[in-house]
Amino acid sequence: MENDPATRALRELEQSPAFQAARMLEQAESPAQRLAREMQNDPVRQAIEQFEQSSALHAAETLNRADFQRLATSLVEAQSAFSAYTNSQHWAETSAAIAAAHSAITRPETVDVLRRIDADLKGLVTAAHRAVVPLAEQLQSFSLAAAAAVQPLQEHFQKMEAWQTSLAERMAQLQNPWAIEDHLGVSMVGFARIARLHDISSGAEPFNPAGQEVFAEELGEPVAFDEKQSPEDRETARIDAGMNAEIVAFPPEAYPHVLFSAGFQLRVEAVATVTTENGDQTGYYDPQHASFFGQIENRLRDLVQAELSRLEGEAWLKRRVNGNLRKRWEERKTADHDRRGDSYPLLYYADFMDLADIICQRQNWNDAFQRFFQSKPDFQASMQRLAPVRNTIGHNRPLVRADQITLLAEGYRILNALGVRM
């Protein structure tokens, strides 16, 4: 075998300078260096490195960071299974996902899905449905899911069990059919949202930042209505402007009872009757929507007069109110006196939004009113939401569900900010 060509070639290779140098280098390596070199040449490691540098992996990592595909898929599945979800405890999870998607997703690929979900909810609000009284076991299980989906802000509800128990107890007060039979999940979550609005509006700080965020999410942007719009159109317009459809997803005839059980009870300490300059007392108030709005409006009048009089004395009207406003009020007062032979104090001829303008005027806000309402933009939004309800009441039109929840939620927190006991 010594003369075998392969043997001779191997011997020549071993005696070559290159081979001798490689052997010397190998002998000089430490064990750690040798291990690193062997790992570097390992086929498995080389395959992993090639995969890490591949465009497919980079695309997958980008998609994973955006998590868009998963969210888009879940939205499509939620829409296709909408009817089933709305009658189950899983609706709470779906509801939370939709709310998060609205605030976080603006991609065109998901807009159509979100619109279809919104359309389903609006259809649920406006269509006729059979109402039922949920069974005791349904109240227990569904209120647990609703409590998890709608987080409270109040300190005494820091434990989820207390919040869930409170919801179940409030729902149990409803003895007449109130929940949509085929969509119990929507009704339960909607009730929890209404209850949370009540608890914020009647809490210690009704205009605090966290409460402002919830009110904006639930009630949406202020809407200006055309007087010719139908009640259904007004309700749809509010939902289009951002009102959460779940808070009005109840049979219309049951809605006042839902609001009452959630905590909105029109038991307001009576405001003093208005006296004319000749001493006549008018303005009897009873616990109805019109009189409740009267409480709000006249409490704000009293606040404006009391606070600005405190700062300027009897000259407050001239020093703190725009001259054009005063002129318009004086014209109304004169016309009223010519017609009846009597009139009210000048501030009672101010429009509802005139009060908002006076309160939010920069100097007035800084000197007098910030301590009541904390945030000027939030107070302005509150008044703007109430203004169309004021117009509806003034024309003796019925209040739709969206009007009712807006009146009670915003009215409660304004009166609460003024220290009115309810």
Side-chain angles (χ1 to χ4, degrees):
M1 295 181 57
E2 275 189 28
N3 296 323
D4 181 70
T7 302
R8 286 200 305 271
L10 179 61
R11 188 180 298 115
E12 290 174 359
L13 176 64
E14 291 175 344
Q15 294 173 356
S16 68
F19 186 83
Q20 294 296 328
R23 174 169 289 182
M24 291 175 63
L25 180 62
E26 182 178 357
Q27 291 173 348
E29 283 181 335
S30 67
Q33 291 173 324
R34 188 180 302 112
L35 178 61
R37 178 171 51 80
E38 291 174 353
M39 290 178 63
Q40 188 70 28
N41 296 328
D42 182 66
V44 175
R45 179 179 176 81
Q46 292 175 350
I48 292 174
E49 289 177 347
Q50 292 177 357
F51 178 68
E52 289 175 343
Q53 296 173 2
S54 68
S55 59
L57 180 63
H58 291 166
E61 288 175 343
T62 301
L63 187 61
N64 182 60
R65 282 194 299 269
D67 208 11
F68 173 69
Q69 186 61 48
R70 181 186 64 80
L71 180 58
T73 301
S74 67
L75 285 171
V76 172
E77 292 174 350
Q79 196 278 332
S80 64
F82 180 80
S83 294
Y85 269 112
T86 58
N87 197 33
S88 71
Q89 296 176 50
H90 296 299
W91 169 252
E93 300 173 5
T94 304
S95 172
I98 294 171
H102 270 289
S103 61
I105 298 299
T106 57
R107 294 176 181 267
E109 294 87 343
T110 63
V111 170
D112 287 341
V113 176
L114 293 172
R115 284 175 178 168
R116 288 197 296 272
I117 293 173
D118 278 344
D120 286 336
L121 271 175
K122 280 190 284 189
L124 182 62
V125 169
T126 57
H129 295 277
R130 183 172 180 269
V132 298
V133 177
L135 301 174
E137 55 268 25
Q138 290 175 320
L139 283 179
Q140 181 66 24
S141 59
F142 276 90
S143 62
L144 185 62
V150 184
Q151 298 293 321
L153 299 185
Q154 279 60 41
E155 292 182 359
H156 56 279
F157 287 137
Q158 285 182 345
K159 291 186 177 180
M160 188 57 63
E161 295 83 357
W163 173 232
Q164 182 265 327
T165 300
S166 174
L167 289 177
E169 289 176 348
R170 295 189 221 190
M171 292 179 191
Q173 296 176 19
L174 289 160
Q175 301 300 313
N176 296 320
W178 63 276
I180 298 175
E181 183 178 29
D182 296 332
H183 305 284
L184 289 179
V186 174
S187 294
M188 297 290 185
V189 173
F191 187 97
R193 295 188 185 283
I194 294 171
R196 181 172 62 174
L197 284 172
H198 165 266
D199 294 348
I200 294 172
S201 65
S202 60
E205 295 182 320
F207 281 87
N208 68 21
Q212 296 169 25
E213 185 175 345
V214 171
F215 266 67
E217 290 175 354
E218 302 292 19
L219 299 183
E221 295 294 324
V223 178
F225 293 121
D226 187 325
E227 292 185 8
K228 297 180 180 179
Q229 281 182 294
S230 69
E232 293 77 12
D233 289 341
R234 295 205 311 273
E235 196 148 65
T236 300
R238 286 192 182 275
I239 296 172
D240 288 340
M243 174 174 279
N244 192 322
E246 289 173 328
I247 66 174
V248 291
F250 301 87
E253 65 276 7
Y255 198 59
H257 304 289
V258 170
L259 295 176
F260 189 89
S261 294
F264 288 113
Q265 302 178 22
L266 297 180
R267 297 175 180 173
V268 183
E269 180 184 2
V271 64
T273 56
V274 182
T275 304
T276 69
E277 293 177 350
N278 287 346
D280 291 337
Q281 291 188 339
T282 60
Y284 175 76
Y285 295 94
D286 53 51
Q288 302 296 321
H289 292 141
S291 61
F292 183 64
F293 205 107
Q295 296 276 350
I296 301 166
E297 188 166 356
N298 285 331
R299 291 284 180 179
L300 288 173
R301 293 184 205 275
D302 290 347
L303 175 72
V304 167
Q305 181 167 352
E307 288 298 311
L308 297 186
S309 295
R310 177 178 60 81
L311 294 171
E312 305 289 356
E314 294 183 358
W316 71 269
L317 275 166
K318 292 183 178 180
R319 294 178 180 175
R320 295 283 181 157
V321 177
N322 179 276
N324 291 330
L325 284 183
R326 293 200 315 271
K327 181 179 179 181
R328 189 169 75 239
W329 301 348
E330 288 167 353
E331 290 173 351
R332 293 175 180 174
K333 178 180 173 70
T334 299
D336 188 30
H337 194 280
D338 290 345
R339 183 176 61 253
R340 299 191 302 112
D342 200 358
S343 59
Y344 294 104
L346 189 60
L347 188 57
Y348 279 84
Y349 295 92
D351 291 333
F352 180 69
M353 290 306 294
D354 289 346
L355 301 175
D357 292 339
I358 295 170
I359 291 172
C360 293
Q361 191 271 337
R362 184 174 63 179
Q363 185 179 5
N364 293 343
W365 177 264
N366 293 336
D367 293 347
F369 301 114
Q370 184 175 14
R371 66 189 180 94
F372 293 96
F373 304 114
Q374 300 182 31
S375 167
K376 185 190 293 186
D378 189 38
F379 175 72
Q380 288 173 321
S382 178
M383 295 290 281
Q384 288 165 356
R385 292 190 190 105
L386 285 170
V389 181
R390 170 70 169 83
N391 188 52
T392 300
I393 291 173
H395 288 83
N396 292 316
R397 291 194 294 262
L399 296 188
V400 295
R401 292 163 295 186
D403 296 328
Q404 293 176 50
I405 184 60
T406 299
L407 170 60
L408 293 176
E410 292 291 9
Y412 253 65
R413 70 170 179 159
I414 287 176
L415 291 175
N416 187 33
L418 300 182
V420 180
R421 292 187 291 114
M422 289 175 284

